[in-house]
Amino acid sequence: MKRILLLAVILLPLALLGCKDRYHWRQKLTVTVETPSGAVSAASVSAVSWARHLIRFPEGMGWHYDLTGEAVVVEIAPGRYLFALLKGAGTTEYMGSVAAASISAQEGRVIDDALFDEVRDKRDRAAGVIAVPDYQYPMLVTFADIADPASVELVDPADLAASFGPGVRLKSVTLEVTDEPVTEGKVEAVLGWLSTIWPNHLDGQRYETLGARFPLANSLGVGWFSTEVRK
């Protein structure tokens, strides 16, 4: 009996991690900002993988999601950058289900297992460029001092002028399924310290803690900007 129980304890986590019905695609996130000098735009291509767990979970918990790539980095003015992060805000849910969201938006259907069953070939079923709704915008940040990781600041998507000055506003955020290669090196070219502080948080601490001197920097890790640092 003890052996059976021990075997169950060992196999259950493996079963929970085991997945089937895998879906893979690449997607481009494009951020366009209006500035006094005209519109500026930047994009990043990420690789997405979704897989259904072998064991069925309650609604909304039956899928494992993985994203490989880097944040979008937009140069608003010389030396002043806006970053649309890989995590935070509405990014995880929206970017993870972009292919299904394409069909959902096009056909007015609920995103569920049945819909995922119909989007095995994302290229054929992509609905082109999708305007990301404001409630699903990725987390936006900037740095008061680009050389100081702890100086990271949140940017309000509805008020970029507060961070970058008059005449600066977010014009659009879009997503599309693409065949383009995954973007590499753009973020590290701007944030040369990413590999130096890895695997710590932006404030230099290894773990997120209550009462941190720089709460936002303490909550953000290198993986929010790039999944490829030190690989």
Side-chain angles (χ1 to χ4, degrees):
M1 185 66 182
K2 288 183 179 180
R3 290 182 179 179
I4 295 175
L5 180 59
L6 178 60
L7 183 61
V9 171
I10 293 173
L11 292 180
L12 180 57
L14 295 177
L16 293 176
L17 292 173
C19 298
K20 64 176 182 178
D21 295 341
R22 295 181 179 273
Y23 306 93
H24 306 275
W25 66 91
R26 277 170 284 167
Q27 59 193 29
K28 177 190 284 188
L29 178 68
T30 302
V31 178
T32 302
V33 176
E34 193 68 54
T35 78
S37 301
V40 291
S41 181
S44 180
V45 176
S46 300
V48 181
S49 173
W50 269 77
R52 181 182 293 156
H53 290 292
L54 288 172
I55 294 179
R56 302 308 294 265
F57 289 87
E59 187 68 26
M61 296 178 62
W63 295 88
H64 171 72
Y65 153 79
D66 186 50
L67 178 72
T68 301
E70 63 180 14
V72 178
V73 51
V74 186
E75 187 169 17
I76 305 299
R80 293 284 289 148
Y81 299 91
L82 172 71
F83 298 85
L85 303 187
L86 293 172
K87 304 177 183 180
T91 309
T92 301
E93 176 185 356
Y94 192 80
M95 293 188 70
S97 58
V98 63
S102 300
I103 297 177
S104 176
Q106 191 176 44
E107 302 178 7
R109 295 174 53 190
V110 175
I111 298 177
D112 54 15
D113 286 355
L115 183 52
F116 268 109
D117 285 338
E118 297 180 22
V119 293
R120 295 177 187 276
D121 189 343
K122 301 300 182 300
R123 296 177 184 175
D124 290 347
R125 298 303 304 271
V129 178
I130 307 167
V132 179
D134 55 7
Y135 67 89
Q136 288 181 314
Y137 282 166
M139 179 182 285
L140 304 178
V141 302
T142 189
F143 292 86
D145 179 356
I146 200 67
D148 180 6
S151 71
V152 64
E153 301 173 344
L154 279 176
V155 174
D156 182 353
D159 189 13
L160 265 64
S163 297
F164 297 101
V168 179
R169 68 176 183 85
L170 185 61
K171 187 174 182 180
S172 66
V173 180
T174 63
L175 271 171
E176 59 185 301
V177 175
T178 181
D179 291 325
E180 295 178 34
V182 174
T183 308
E184 296 180 9
K186 291 186 177 180
V187 171
E188 286 189 79
V190 176
L191 304 178
W193 40 258
L194 279 177
S195 61
T196 302
I197 67 169
W198 182 94
N200 296 330
H201 289 241
L202 268 59
D203 65 346
Q205 302 300 309
R206 183 66 183 90
Y207 302 103
E208 187 173 354
T209 59
L210 294 174
R213 182 182 177 188
F214 303 103
L216 180 60
N218 181 245
S219 70
L220 301 179
V222 172
W224 293 60
F225 292 85
S226 174
T227 63
E228 303 307 290
V229 175
R230 289 289 189 97
K231 285 190 175 180

